[in-house]
Each structure stands twice: as C-alpha cells, then as structure tokens.
Amino acid sequence: MKELEITDGILKGKALPVNARSEEICSLHSEKLKLFCLEDKQLVCLVCRDSKQHDNHKFRPISEVVSSHKEELNTALKSLQEKLKHNETLKGEFEKTVQHIKSQAEHTEHQIKQQFEKLHRFVRDEEEATITALREEEEQKKQMMKEKLEEMNRHISALSHTIKDMEEMMRSSYVCFLKEFLVSMERVQISSQPDPQLSGALIHVPRYLGNLPFRVWKKMQDIVQNTPVILDPNTAHPRLVLSDDLTSVRYSRNNQTILDNPERFDEFPCVLGSEGFNSGTHCWDVELKESSAWTVGVTTASNPRKGRDCFNNDVWSVYQYGRSLRSGFRVQQQLDRVRVNLDYDRGKVSFSDPVTNTHLHTFKTTFNNTLFPFFSSPDSLRIVPFNS
C-alpha cells in the first residue's frame, strides 16, 4: 500500500513504512482491506461487507475511491495554492500600504508645520506690531513730559526771579516801592497763570491689552480661509494632483506613484470630498474657468471607484462635455463657477451659476445613504472659500 504525497499540486504514491503495512489487514477478520464503505467512510474486508454491521451499505473498490479522493484533494490543493499566491500578493500590498502610510504621515506632518509656521509668523508679526505701537506711544508721552518739564523749569525760574525781586522791593524805600508796585503786580498776575496739566499723559493700556486675543483672531481672518469642502486625496485618481490645502486639483499627464487602495478611482479622473453628509443643508461653489470639461455633484459612498461604472448610478451631477451621463444633466453654456446646494432631508440637489444667479438644474429624490461631494475633470478645478 502507498501513502499519498502532495508535490507541486500532484498526488504521488509513496511507499508506507513497514509498521504501516498492518493497516492493510482487517483487525477483525485478518482479511485484506479491499473495499470502502460509503456510509461509514471506512475500509472493510469482504467478510465485513457481508456482516449485519454493513447491511444494505454501498461499497466501492479502494482504488476507485482513492482516485476520486485524489481528484477532490487535488482540486482543493490548487485552490489553496491560488489562495497562497493571492495572500502573498496581498502581503506585498499590505507592505506597500505600510510604506505609504509612513510617507503620508511624514508629508502631512511637514504640511502641518508649514501651516502652523504661517500662523506663528502672523502672531509674531502682530506681537511685534503691538509692541512697536506701545513703544511709539511711550516715546510720544515721554517727549510730551519732557517738553512739560522744560516749560515747568522755565516757569519755576521765572517765579524765583519774581519772588527775589519782590523781596528786594519789600526792603526798598517808600518811593522806590511805589514806583515798582504796579509793575510787580503785573508780574505777579503773569506768574499766576494756571499750571500745566498732566491729563492724557499716561499710556493707554487698554488699547494694547483689551481683547488682545480676539483682535488678533479678527485680523487673522484676513489670512485664513474657510473652505466648505475639502478634497480626499485617498480617493483621487492617480493623475489628479491635489493642492497642499486640499482645495484644488489639476490633471497630470502621468500617473503619480501612489497606492491603488480600494477607495481610489482608477478609470476616470474623479475625486470625492472628505466629509460625507447624511442630514441638513450644505452648499459649495466650484471654480471651473480653467477646465474645458467637468462633472460636479454628489454621489453615494457605495458608488464603485474601480472600473467604468462610477458615473452610471447614484450620481446627481451637472457636467459639461465629456461622456454622456445617464444620471447627470448636461450644461450647454460656458461657466466660470457652479454652485451646489444639497438639501438632504428634502431630497434635493440644486445647481446654479453664482456669477449670474442662474438656476441650472434640480434633482429630486429620496436619499438613504451618506452623500459625498463628487468632482471630475481632465483639467483643473477649485473649491471656492467662503470669504471669496
């Protein structure tokens, strides 16, 4: 008897060791095991076949059963080999994903530092400007006090001379006293003018400290922008290059070296917004003046990303040129911008031209899934910030 061996997907015979040969003999009847009971799934001899234990059972020759089982095992073996090959490929993809995650994290950290450096620079500039204004007021107030001190010194000197002259006059003769009296009184009246005032001499402290963080934050709004939709780079087609702030996209003639993850579009130049909506109203403008063909709208999270079916179902959009979309509305006129208004609860997606305030199209349906902003263009487009 031979033992089965699996080699390169083929079942081969291999001689059994001596101590295994006893298995060819029935332990009950000392007869050779020649049959296989299909009901009990066990080897039997001819005597066993005729016993009550195997009454009405079906039997097959061992060689026939082995051949059948070999085919079954060989089929299972090929399936396992294919699975192994697939798992090895998948392992490679996982290793690439680990490297991509590392690269993503490093790149994102670099951009975070750049963004915060802009904010830090703005705050440092505001700090410097505020302290400069304080120093300027300090110099102005000190100069004003210097002038007042000089004036006070002149006034004190004049008073000292007047007092000295009057003291000498008090000691003079009657005739001299009377002759100088009127002049002396005039000098007294002149010296009795109001003293210089110190009103407004101190630093206007609230001007610098009052609501300081709030005032800096208000000024900061001039350099920061709030964009209603942020693009998701993990969904972008390999030929779409996103800006660092993830608010605009341009088309590249060459594929980027990028991970082909399940979320990414691979056939058409599409990208989704990073945030999905399942309630409420939402609005965003898309700048299209540098794009000759485009599609703008919303789609479900379950819409296929791979292959050519991403435009076929669950896409509510307007488009210009390009392929005819079964679920879209074609715009004939050239547009610089398109405004998307999504009212999820009422099941409405409206499109308009915000430049001319012209309605383009409205879809009415019932939404049951999370919707994501949807964009496609072989050129470039940009999400317009709120404060533009």
Side-chain angles (χ1 to χ4, degrees):
M1 184 175 180
K2 293 186 176 181
E3 180 182 46
L4 297 181
E5 180 188 43
I6 301 173
T7 305
D8 297 329
I10 301 174
L11 290 171
K12 296 182 178 180
K14 181 181 178 183
L16 287 170
V18 175
N19 58 1
R21 297 180 183 275
S22 60
E23 296 180 4
E24 298 178 359
I25 304 299
C26 176
S27 60
L28 296 176
H29 307 102
S30 300
E31 297 285 337
K32 286 187 177 182
L33 300 172
K34 295 183 177 181
L35 300 175
F36 186 81
C37 178
L38 299 180
E39 278 73 11
D40 294 335
K41 307 295 182 185
Q42 62 179 213
L43 295 166
V44 297
C45 67
L46 295 176
V47 178
C48 291
R49 178 191 63 180
D50 298 330
S51 66
K52 291 183 178 181
Q53 181 183 353
H54 295 283
D55 192 24
N56 295 323
H57 286 188
K58 293 181 179 180
F59 301 90
R60 290 289 185 274
I62 289 177
S63 60
E64 181 181 329
V65 174
V66 169
S67 177
S68 172
H69 282 16
K70 279 184 179 181
E71 292 180 3
E72 182 179 350
L73 185 59
N74 207 38
T75 300
L77 175 63
K78 289 180 179 179
S79 175
L80 290 176
Q81 288 174 331
E82 291 176 359
K83 185 173 181 62
L84 174 62
K85 185 177 180 181
H86 174 73
N87 285 349
E88 288 175 344
T89 302
L90 199 59
K91 177 187 174 183
E93 293 298 321
F94 285 0
E95 290 172 345
K96 288 180 182 179
T97 301
V98 170
Q99 292 301 316
H100 186 70
I101 290 171
K102 180 181 178 181
S103 175
Q104 266 191 319
E106 291 174 350
H107 181 64
T108 304
E109 180 180 344
H110 176 70
Q111 290 178 303
I112 289 171
K113 289 181 177 179
Q114 283 187 326
Q115 293 294 325
F116 272 100
E117 178 54 34
K118 291 180 181 178
L119 298 177
H120 294 160
R121 189 182 307 120
F122 175 83
V123 173
R124 287 195 298 267
D125 290 345
E126 282 300 306
E127 176 188 7
E128 183 178 344
T130 304
I131 292 176
T132 298
L134 172 62
R135 297 302 182 208
E136 289 176 353
E137 183 178 358
E138 178 190 11
E139 289 302 318
Q140 292 174 357
K141 295 296 175 66
K142 285 165 65 176
Q143 180 63 31
M144 180 185 72
M145 291 309 301
K146 180 181 178 181
E147 294 173 357
K148 286 184 177 294
L149 280 171
E150 291 174 351
E151 181 183 357
M152 183 60 69
N153 287 333
R154 290 192 297 270
H155 190 55
I156 290 173
S157 178
L159 282 175
S160 297
H161 283 92
T162 300
I163 292 171
K164 182 179 180 181
D165 292 343
M166 291 181 68
E167 288 175 343
E168 291 179 356
M169 185 180 131
M170 293 289 289
R171 292 192 295 268
S172 64
S173 63
Y174 294 160
V175 174
C176 291
F177 176 83
L178 293 174
K179 286 182 177 180
E180 299 295 331
F181 177 76
L182 294 177
V183 175
S184 296
M185 291 305 296
E186 289 179 359
R187 292 176 65 186
V188 169
Q189 291 177 355
I190 293 173
S191 301
S192 299
Q193 295 295 324
D195 294 330
Q197 299 297 313
L198 292 177
S199 178
L202 300 181
I203 296 292
H204 192 350
V205 176
R207 180 181 299 160
Y208 308 101
L209 295 182
N211 290 324
L212 179 59
F214 177 77
R215 289 187 288 110
V216 173
W217 173 75
K218 289 286 286 183
K219 285 188 176 181
M220 192 177 290
Q221 293 185 51
D222 295 334
I223 67 163
V224 298
Q225 296 177 329
N226 182 17
T227 305
V229 171
I230 300 299
L231 302 176
D232 184 357
N234 292 338
T235 66
H237 185 276
R239 291 193 177 183
L240 292 182
V241 181
L242 273 59
S243 60
D244 288 342
D245 62 359
L246 307 179
T247 62
S248 65
V249 60
R250 62 178 177 82
Y251 186 82
S252 172
R253 292 184 178 179
N254 302 314
N255 282 342
Q256 302 175 83
T257 303
I258 200 166
L259 195 69
D260 185 23
N261 50 297
E263 300 86 356
R264 192 178 307 281
F265 291 94
D266 67 350
E267 185 68 28
F268 297 108
C270 304
V271 62
L272 298 183
S274 61
E275 181 183 0
F277 308 120
N278 52 26
S279 64
T281 59
H282 310 273
C283 178
W284 59 93
D285 288 0
V286 187
E287 187 176 273
L288 305 162
K289 58 186 178 183
E290 295 184 4
S291 180
S292 59
W294 47 264
T295 302
V296 172
V298 295
T299 188
T300 60
S302 60
N303 191 21
R305 315 285 175 85
K306 307 300 183 183
R308 305 181 65 86
D309 296 330
C310 62
F311 287 101
N312 291 342
N313 297 293
D314 295 335
V315 178
W316 298 268
S317 64
V318 292
Y319 67 97
Q320 188 172 68
Y321 303 119
R323 64 198 304 269
S324 177
L325 305 182
R326 187 168 63 188
S327 58
F329 176 81
R330 182 166 184 173
V331 176
Q332 301 297 330
Q333 63 268 42
Q334 292 285 342
L335 298 176
D336 287 344
R337 289 187 181 185
V338 164
R339 175 166 294 167
V340 184
N341 273 289
L342 169 64
D343 190 333
Y344 188 99
D345 300 325
R346 295 184 178 181
K348 291 174 57 177
V349 186
S350 298
F351 300 89
S352 61
D353 178 0
V355 178
T356 61
N357 197 27
T358 304
H359 175 260
L360 299 174
H361 189 73
T362 296
F363 292 97
K364 294 182 180 180
T365 184
T366 299
F367 299 125
N368 298 312
N369 300 302
T370 300
L371 298 180
F372 285 84
F374 177 83
F375 311 90
S376 179
S377 175
D379 296 309
S380 62
L381 50 80
R382 182 178 75 97
I383 315 300
V384 182
F386 274 138
N387 59 356
S388 292

